[in-house]
Amino acid sequence: MAVPHTFLLIVVFSFQFPVTSAQYLLFNFSCSDGLVHSQSNQYRYNLDGLLQKLNSTDSPFNEATMGESPDQVYGLYLCRGDATDQICRSCVHNATSTIVRKCPSSAAALIAYDYCMFRYSNVPFFGKLESSPRIYMRNGENITGTSVGSFEKLVNETFMEIAEEAAEGDWLGQKFATKETNYTASNGTLYALGQCSPDLSSADCLSCLQLSVEYLFQCCGGKRCGSVFLSSSCNVRYEINPFYGDRPRGESEKEKINGDSYYSHSCNGWLGVALRHGRSALQKKESKEQDRCITF
């Protein structure tokens, strides 16, 4: 798996407040160590053109290039498979405008939201399975009503089925799948989602999702909710309440789609961290901040 850039940890978010319908969730963002020098006006010009180009389309996935070497820039966005056209467009617009503010001098960057992700780079990455940077999100509360071992076994089995289905793709070309499974005698339900970038091969999509689940257990084992993004290649997410498909929406949730973060529909207390190559700049704080999902 080629990793063309070293990505720098920028921020760690800790969402400890109650979630309301007016709040949305920005998972995280990562800026590369490689910088666009001030004299490289052509690269910045090409990046601006790329952002405009990607914002002018309505598809749930798109990739584009702009310019010529050595100032060529590559970019893609991917909306979640169940996102409406309106939410997809608004999420992509927000992601492209936010990332240039967060990473104003970076030659490459990645940003992940609840409903979409966007990445650009000065190195080709289309159709490649990459595992870095990784973004983890989890809820700090442990699962109840069943043993951790039984729950993790169910999560693993569910995601293995999702990986197989998503890798096959659908008639629209999307590599996206969801599944619900009961996990307690009282009919508690696990909701799980997996998605790959459509430009990955079926084999790479399957490998990516399986690898994501391995990282998921490192980060979020036994927790009520968890999510992992492996660069722009794929992502997995599970919760114990509905968060995809035809869930109820309040009017404020329908309208508020331009903020810096998207609403986490069912998990209060989400915690997030962006890592580079599996190591965090906050590793020395691990003993005091176990819920920040730090791995080595």
Side-chain angles (χ1 to χ4, degrees):
M1 301 175 196
V3 181
H5 292 290
T6 299
F7 281 78
L8 179 66
L9 173 74
I10 300 300
V11 291
V12 175
F13 295 98
S14 177
F15 297 90
Q16 300 288 3
F17 45 79
V19 177
T20 69
S21 61
Q23 294 167 353
Y24 293 78
L25 185 62
L26 166 64
F27 276 177
N28 220 316
F29 62 93
S30 186
C31 310
S32 70
D33 288 342
L35 301 179
V36 177
H37 299 294
S38 58
Q39 66 267 28
S40 183
N41 294 327
Q42 186 60 48
Y43 187 81
R44 180 59 58 186
Y45 177 82
N46 291 340
L47 176 59
D48 290 343
L50 176 77
L51 300 181
Q52 293 177 18
K53 186 175 183 179
L54 290 176
N55 270 296
S56 66
T57 63
D58 293 327
S59 64
F61 166 77
N62 201 3
E63 56 189 19
T65 63
M66 188 67 65
E68 302 292 338
S69 181
D71 297 307
Q72 191 168 18
V73 59
Y74 305 80
L76 70 74
Y77 70 78
L78 174 64
C79 290
R80 208 169 77 189
D82 63 330
T84 65
D85 291 343
Q86 180 190 13
I87 288 179
C88 180
R89 286 194 301 270
S90 298
C91 183
V92 171
H93 174 75
N94 194 58
T96 54
S97 61
T98 300
I99 197 62
V100 292
R101 297 198 311 268
K102 302 295 187 181
C103 307
S105 302
S106 295
L110 169 73
I111 188 167
Y113 281 84
D114 191 5
Y115 282 110
C116 72
M117 56 74 53
F118 169 71
R119 180 185 180 189
Y120 73 85
S121 176
N122 61 341
V123 175
F125 62 90
F126 300 156
K128 297 181 180 180
L129 196 174
E130 296 182 340
S131 62
S132 181
R134 294 191 293 274
I135 291 175
Y136 298 160
M137 295 292 293
R138 82 175 184 190
N139 179 271
E141 299 179 12
N142 292 324
I143 191 69
T144 58
T146 186
S147 69
V148 170
S150 296
F151 184 71
E152 290 187 347
K153 181 175 183 292
L154 180 66
V155 170
N156 184 67
E157 291 173 349
T158 301
F159 274 119
M160 291 306 100
E161 293 184 32
I162 285 176
E164 293 281 354
E165 181 179 345
E168 289 182 3
D170 61 19
W171 66 278
L172 293 173
Q174 289 202 88
K175 290 182 168 67
F176 173 81
T178 62
K179 185 175 176 60
E180 298 87 49
T181 311
N182 290 340
Y183 70 88
T184 66
S186 58
N187 292 323
T189 303
L190 170 72
Y191 298 85
L193 174 157
Q195 184 172 24
C196 293
S197 178
D199 61 351
L200 285 187
S201 68
S202 293
D204 280 348
C205 176
L206 182 62
S207 296
C208 188
L209 291 173
Q210 291 172 340
L211 182 60
S212 294
V213 175
E214 292 181 18
Y215 287 124
L216 186 68
F217 286 121
Q218 292 178 18
C219 161
C220 317
K223 300 301 180 182
R224 290 161 47 91
C225 311
S227 180
V228 174
F229 279 76
L230 290 191
S231 187
S232 57
S233 296
C234 69
N235 64 87
V236 294
R237 178 177 173 183
Y238 75 88
E239 301 194 12
I240 60 171
N241 293 299
F243 66 94
Y244 52 76
D246 298 327
R247 60 188 176 276
R249 293 177 180 271
E251 287 303 311
S252 59
E253 185 182 346
K254 289 180 181 178
E255 299 300 326
K256 189 172 183 1
I257 49 182
N258 292 313
D260 263 0
S261 58
Y262 278 95
Y263 172 45
S264 174
H265 298 281
S266 61
C267 260
N268 296 340
W270 275 102
L271 303 166
V273 61
L275 304 179
R276 61 173 182 179
H277 303 310
R279 296 184 64 85
S280 167
L282 296 178
Q283 59 186 26
K284 294 180 180 179
K285 299 182 180 180
E286 186 185 24
S287 60
K288 297 181 180 179
E289 302 184 26
Q290 295 293 333
D291 276 338
R292 294 200 186 277
C293 203
I294 297 168
T295 62
F296 305 97

